[in-house]
Amino acid sequence: MIEFSHVYKTYPGPVHALKNIDLRIDKGEFVFLTGPSGAGKTTLFRMISAFDHVTSGQLVVANQELTQISSADVPAFRRRIGVVFQDFKLLKNLTVFQNVALPLKVLGEKEQNIRRRVPDFLEKVGLSHKSDQYPESLSGGEQQRTAIARALIHQPGVLIADEPTGNLDPRLSEEIMDLLEKVCAQGTTVFVATHDHEMVKRRNKRTVSIRAGELEGGR
Amino acid sequence: MRELRQRFLLRLTTFITLTACFTLLTAGSLGLLNLVNVLSYWGEEIQITAYLSAEMAPTQIDALKERIKSDSRVDKVELISQEEALEDFRGQMASYAPDLAKDQELLSLIPSSLQISLAGRLGEPATSEQIEDVAKELRGYEGIEEVRYGQEWVQKYGAFLTLIRRGLFVLGVIVALAALLVVGNAVRASVESRRSEVEVLELVGATSWMIRRPFLVEGASLGFLSICSALIVSSVGFLFMKNLFKTELQFFQLSSHLEFLGPLQIAIFLVFGIGMGALASYLCVRRVNSGFAASGGQG
Ligand SMILES: Nc1ncnc2c1ncn2[C@@H]1O[C@H](COP(=O)(O)OP(=O)(O)OP(=O)(O)O)[C@@H](O)[C@H]1O
Ligand SMILES: [Mg+2]
């Protein structure tokens, strides 16, 4: 579950990146976030992933109050969510396999479990054959799929994905979306930012749009 | 590859610098340890001689002897009577100047004396001051004409030892600071080159301990390797010196009195090296992650 109430985010400048955000996404819901470039989509996701503090208002994600979360509580919170970053944030000195295994390592998962689960997931995103490659030798789409696998491997309660299909061809985009829907069907809350209006229409899911830091169209 | 090479070079130079710093300290301690050994070996010979006035009656001498003996700093008091002193003198002089040895008038000038051995040994910290204190008191006693104990020798070596001890302490402090700086520098570079890695680890929920651990291990192992090689360097130097005293400097008969640092001292040095390395890293990485990744994101 994700719940924003009266959330503002102001960057020094001042840049009012988020203005009076009220938004509630229930557990197991699948929601698209659309909006023009610079509207505040990434900012919204940064708040949800405790990447940054909100300036004012209230934010609760996966039962964790984030407005006043202490630094000591952040790691435990992050292990319960999955994030696909717009710029992937893969470690270039680790292989695809090791990158995807990272959340499991952090959770202290047994090595044999890691060796079983990671290949499963790499297969789901169609990267089995790249398992031992380093991110630098991957195409943009392959890096993106590695990032998606990493965000899902530990079965998070909340998944946020910042343009997870931005670098994928239409067929791959559909496959990834199918995967996200499947994950959602298993109980994960999924929140996806995208510019792909065609896909949003086809998927027929709840959609919120943001413009200049403000949510549009009610809900 | 270039990055790896640079990292390796930085670690190597850090290791070498740190080894040099630590070697100063281990070699210094080793030197001090053996200096104390040698001095206390020589110091066994050090005694205070109190020459008695000729008018002292045997009972007075006995009383004086008892009085000196009652001092806790004094180990032994031995009376060398005039006859014994004469005997000694004759024995020593007979071969050089037979005529002199027979000159009764001169011999009668030799006073009787008390040989006083102190409880401590020279080379132990307090001893040289103790000798002086005891000597000063003896001078004040009635019936004692003159007190001899190799003043200059004792004073100089006492002062010398104190100087070395202080110097070693200052050296220790400087080495500790240098170690902090040198290791800190290496770890900071390492943190810098892995900043994005730290950020990603934070984002997948690694605790600060997980993130800092590799840096702490890096610093501690640098300290450990450096102190080990410093100990090895000083032991090689030590064996060389010992061998020198066995062969070319045999005259001094010191080789059997030279010893290497004991297990406890070695352990202390190991802990010191590891501790300095880990502390330096800790100071560097204390703020490496703040729970929220500090860097800005993207558009
Ligand atoms: N760290 C920051 N400091 C100052 N201003 C910022 C910062 N991060 C974002 N902004 C501003 O906040 C606004 C919203 O940015 P945001 O990254 O959320 O847009 P977005 O909707 O994700 O755009 P895109 O579709 O291009 O990714 C922009 O005007 C941006 O310049
Ligand atoms: Mg964005």
Side-chain angles (χ1 to χ4, degrees), chain A residues 41-43 86 162-163, chain B residues 298-299:
Chain A
K41 300 184 294 296
T42 298
T43 305
Q86 204 168 5
D162 201 350
E163 305 201 31
Chain B
Q298 67 294 313

Side-chain angles (χ1 to χ4, degrees), chain B:
Chain B
M1 276 298 101
R2 247 195 83 199
E3 209 177 294
L4 276 182
R5 232 184 70 129
Q6 263 175 355
R7 221 193 268 188
F8 174 74
L9 277 180
L10 181 67
R11 278 194 199 150
L12 189 67
T13 47
T14 308
F15 167 69
I16 292 171
T17 323
L18 211 54
T19 298
C21 288
F22 285 163
T23 303
L24 279 179
L25 209 58
T26 51
S29 307
L30 194 55
L32 180 69
L33 174 76
N34 283 296
L35 196 65
V36 170
N37 270 353
V38 166
L39 285 183
S40 56
Y41 158 63
W42 279 344
E44 261 183 318
E45 315 266 309
I46 294 270
Q47 289 176 329
I48 301 178
T49 307
Y51 294 98
L52 303 174
S53 94
E55 284 100 61
M56 293 277 277
T59 50
Q60 283 176 302
I61 293 177
D62 278 346
L64 184 63
K65 210 172 141 182
E66 285 310 312
R67 187 168 164 208
I68 295 171
K69 223 182 209 162
S70 67
D71 189 322
S72 65
R73 293 167 295 184
V74 172
D75 182 37
K76 244 176 21 197
V77 182
E78 206 184 328
L79 174 68
I80 312 281
S81 67
Q82 202 166 10
E83 291 74 34
E84 281 167 318
L86 274 172
E87 211 44 49
D88 267 8
F89 191 71
R90 273 206 196 99
Q92 282 172 18
M93 286 298 142
S95 52
Y96 302 103
D99 296 337
L100 183 72
K102 288 191 186 93
D103 189 342
Q104 287 299 319
E105 208 170 304
L106 182 71
L107 291 185
S108 67
L109 291 176
I110 294 178
S112 52
S113 62
L114 291 176
Q115 287 287 334
I116 298 147
S117 315
L118 295 189
R121 286 169 138 209
L122 187 66
E124 286 164 8
T127 313
S128 60
E129 283 162 37
Q130 231 175 55
I131 294 174
E132 279 169 50
D133 284 354
V134 173
K136 209 189 255 167
E137 279 174 37
L138 288 175
R139 279 201 189 94
Y141 290 169
E142 208 176 317
I144 292 182
E145 300 247 287
E146 204 186 339
V147 176
R148 290 257 173 84
Y149 61 93
Q151 282 92 328
E152 273 187 38
W153 202 86
V154 168
Q155 275 170 349
K156 273 190 188 149
Y157 277 87
F160 181 59
L161 273 188
T162 312
L163 190 73
I164 290 195
R165 267 202 193 87
R166 290 205 185 127
L168 209 59
F169 179 76
V170 171
L171 190 70
V173 172
I174 293 174
V175 165
L177 286 178
L180 283 182
L181 277 176
V182 169
V183 177
N185 190 40
V187 170
R188 195 164 32 242
S190 176
V191 167
E192 216 45 65
S193 73
R194 279 150 72 179
R195 189 157 286 289
S196 61
E197 192 179 328
V198 167
E199 189 192 274
V200 173
L201 285 172
E202 282 190 329
L203 291 172
V204 298
T207 58
S208 50
W209 166 238
M210 288 174 186
I211 292 169
R212 290 170 192 179
R213 191 174 46 198
F215 298 110
L216 293 180
V217 167
E218 183 182 339
S221 49
L222 257 174
F224 176 71
L225 289 178
S226 305
I227 194 74
C228 280
S229 65
L231 285 168
I232 289 169
V233 168
S234 8
S235 69
V236 167
F238 172 77
L239 289 177
F240 176 78
M241 288 300 288
K242 186 157 176 158
N243 199 41
L244 209 62
F245 275 107
K246 248 186 198 149
T247 54
E248 266 148 73
L249 303 175
Q250 203 184 6
F251 167 73
F252 291 104
Q253 303 199 313
L254 287 181
S255 70
S256 64
H257 295 277
L258 300 180
E259 57 173 342
F260 195 64
L261 302 167
L264 179 69
Q265 286 155 312
I266 291 178
I268 290 174
F269 272 121
L270 287 178
V271 169
F272 176 79
I274 296 171
M276 278 300 141
L279 178 66
S281 316
Y282 177 73
L283 293 178
C284 275
V285 300
R286 210 165 23 143
R287 303 210 53 82
V288 71
N289 56 330
S290 53
F292 284 84
S295 73
Q298 67 294 313

Side-chain angles (χ1 to χ4, degrees), chain A:
Chain A
M1 189 208 58
I2 302 170
E3 188 163 19
F4 283 82
S5 35
H6 306 298
V7 168
Y8 287 80
K9 178 64 188 178
T10 309
Y11 287 112
V15 179
H16 299 286
L18 296 178
K19 287 175 240 168
N20 196 21
I21 303 289
D22 275 310
L23 178 65
R24 185 190 158 92
I25 298 175
D26 287 319
K27 182 170 160 40
E29 222 182 332
F30 191 118
V31 178
F32 282 117
L33 175 66
T34 60
S37 183
K41 300 184 294 296
T42 298
T43 305
L44 203 68
F45 281 1
R46 280 163 63 113
M47 301 299 119
I48 298 172
S49 54
F51 197 92
D52 211 341
H53 281 286
V54 303
T55 307
S56 70
Q58 279 235 320
L59 174 55
V60 179
V61 177
N63 297 324
Q64 171 70 56
E65 156 64 46
L66 288 184
T67 322
Q68 273 151 8
I69 189 171
S70 73
S71 303
D73 291 335
V74 170
F77 167 71
R78 293 225 177 105
R79 289 179 212 169
R80 292 194 285 125
I81 64 169
V83 185
V84 181
F85 296 94
Q86 204 168 5
D87 60 349
F88 318 140
K89 296 201 190 294
L90 300 176
L91 289 182
K92 60 179 193 295
N93 56 342
L94 298 185
T95 62
V96 167
F97 183 100
Q98 291 164 334
N99 266 290
V100 173
L102 214 51
L104 296 179
K105 290 235 155 142
V106 164
L107 279 166
E109 199 68 55
K110 282 205 202 78
E111 202 57 39
Q112 69 188 57
N113 282 350
I114 294 177
R115 268 200 299 273
R116 192 170 45 78
R117 277 165 71 177
V118 173
D120 270 6
F121 248 89
L122 287 178
E123 188 164 352
K124 278 185 193 164
V125 296
L127 279 180
S128 297
H129 59 300
K130 298 284 182 182
S131 180
D132 295 325
Q133 306 249 327
Y134 288 88
E136 270 173 357
S137 63
L138 299 181
S139 74
E142 285 162 346
Q143 290 183 32
Q144 193 152 39
R145 282 180 281 153
T146 307
I148 291 167
R150 189 183 65 188
L152 289 173
I153 187 79
H154 57 302
Q155 300 173 312
V158 171
L159 176 78
I160 53 177
D162 201 350
E163 305 201 31
T165 57
N167 290 283
L168 303 181
D169 60 50
R171 194 181 60 82
L172 266 178
S173 296
E174 291 305 319
E175 277 180 25
I176 291 299
M177 277 304 154
D178 287 343
L179 177 63
L180 295 187
E181 280 198 31
K182 209 152 84 195
V183 168
C184 180
Q186 284 160 8
T188 299
T189 309
V190 180
F191 195 16
V192 182
T194 183
H195 285 293
D196 190 343
H197 293 283
E198 286 305 308
M199 189 179 67
V200 172
K201 247 182 242 159
R202 260 199 318 278
R203 293 276 157 180
N204 193 27
K205 295 280 181 192
R206 178 182 164 195
T207 305
V208 292
S209 60
I210 187 170
R211 183 178 292 272
E214 285 178 289
L215 289 187
E216 290 188 324
R219 299 190 212 231

